[in-house]
Amino acid sequence: MKNALVTGGTRGIGLAIAKMLIAEGYRVMVTYSNDEQAAQRCEKELSLTGGVFSIIRADQGDKDAIQKLVQALQELEHIDCIVFNAGITSRKPLQEISDDEWEHVMQVNVNSNVTLLRDIFALIPNNARIVFISSLLGILPHSVSLAYGVSKAAIIALAKNLVKTFAGTETTVNVIAPGFVDTEWQKNKPTEIRESICHKTALGRFAEAEEVADAVRFCINNAFVNGSVIEVSGGYDFR
């Protein structure tokens, strides 16, 4: 059985991806940072799939926790699919964000992925699939999410460079850049903000997490898609 890792996989987009991978026949390991309730709900939902899975706590803002995750992954003989989904945001403008806040966003969204991939590199076989979940805000600038937008742009650059790292192995590296997805966090936004987002989206609605998972499914099943950035935005712009 093939093994898959989904970081930040206990809710929202990550959970939808984990379910999709189980349906595709993978044994799935999902990680989470600190939300124990979400982890418990995830366990119940994944149990209903009848698939093989495990859930491990790994705060990607904590370098020691990343190394513990690396140690846990060493028990697997191979990791055939990695979906780097975990991420955090900061909505502070340039004038207000501190060094520690900026570095924490970069650590979780970018640096931890590099460390993790480097330290489990030997476990990645030929013809593996690596997918990064970036964001439309890594492509289109946003006025109040500077650190987040820069980190998500860095993920796109990281993936494109990793294509060269894996050249000759048949392993593919791709990026999904979702727009606004109807996750728990987005559902809690004020009605006027949600309506504004829908107005700026050609399809007039938020994406479902499963629609993002379907884009990941495409990347793992198409062996010739490599170095691509796939937007799942519904035709969003800043009009």
Side-chain angles (χ1 to χ4, degrees), residues 17-18 21 30 37 40 54 61 104 107 138 161 189:
I17 292 170
L21 288 168
V30 300
Q37 291 185 337
Q40 291 171 8
S54 58
H104 186 56
Q107 169 60 26
N161 279 272
K189 284 187 172 179

Side-chain angles (χ1 to χ4, degrees), residues 58-219:
D59 181 356
Q60 291 189 213
D62 182 340
K63 294 181 180 181
D64 290 336
I66 292 298
Q67 288 308 310
K68 289 179 181 178
L69 175 59
V70 169
Q71 298 271 330
L73 291 171
Q74 298 302 322
E75 298 179 8
L76 303 175
E77 292 183 3
H78 47 86
I79 303 175
D80 307 274
C81 176
I82 307 172
V83 182
F84 291 103
N85 173 69
I88 59 172
T89 190
S90 170
R91 297 185 66 81
K92 290 187 177 181
L94 175 63
Q95 302 93 319
E96 297 179 13
I97 192 166
S98 69
D99 288 352
D100 288 344
E101 289 168 330
W102 179 275
E103 289 167 8
H104 186 56
V105 172
M106 295 301 161
Q107 169 60 26
V108 173
N109 294 2
V110 185
N111 299 349
S112 61
N113 295 336
V114 175
T115 301
L116 183 57
L117 193 59
R118 180 194 66 198
D119 292 351
I120 63 173
F121 191 86
L123 297 175
I124 301 172
N126 289 351
N127 200 31
R129 300 288 180 264
I130 300 171
V131 182
F132 289 87
I133 306 301
S134 178
S135 169
L136 190 63
L137 300 189
I139 300 170
L140 301 177
H142 196 276
S143 61
V144 292
S145 299
L146 180 64
Y148 180 78
V150 171
S151 71
K152 291 300 186 178
I155 286 174
I156 293 172
L158 172 61
K160 286 183 174 291
N161 279 272
L162 286 171
V163 168
K164 302 298 184 182
T165 299
F166 287 95
T169 68
E170 297 186 340
T171 290
T172 62
V173 187
N174 291 290
V175 181
I176 307 299
F180 291 89
V181 183
D182 215 11
T183 58
E184 180 179 328
W185 181 63
Q186 295 290 355
K187 289 178 188 295
N188 291 329
K189 284 187 172 179
T191 301
E192 61 271 18
I193 294 179
R194 287 180 58 89
E195 289 177 349
S196 175
I197 290 169
C198 289
H199 175 69
K200 295 174 182 177
T201 303
L203 293 181
R205 64 176 177 86
F206 285 66
E208 298 294 333
E210 291 75 17
E211 291 172 317
V212 180
D214 275 342
V216 177
R217 188 200 314 268
F218 172 71
C219 289

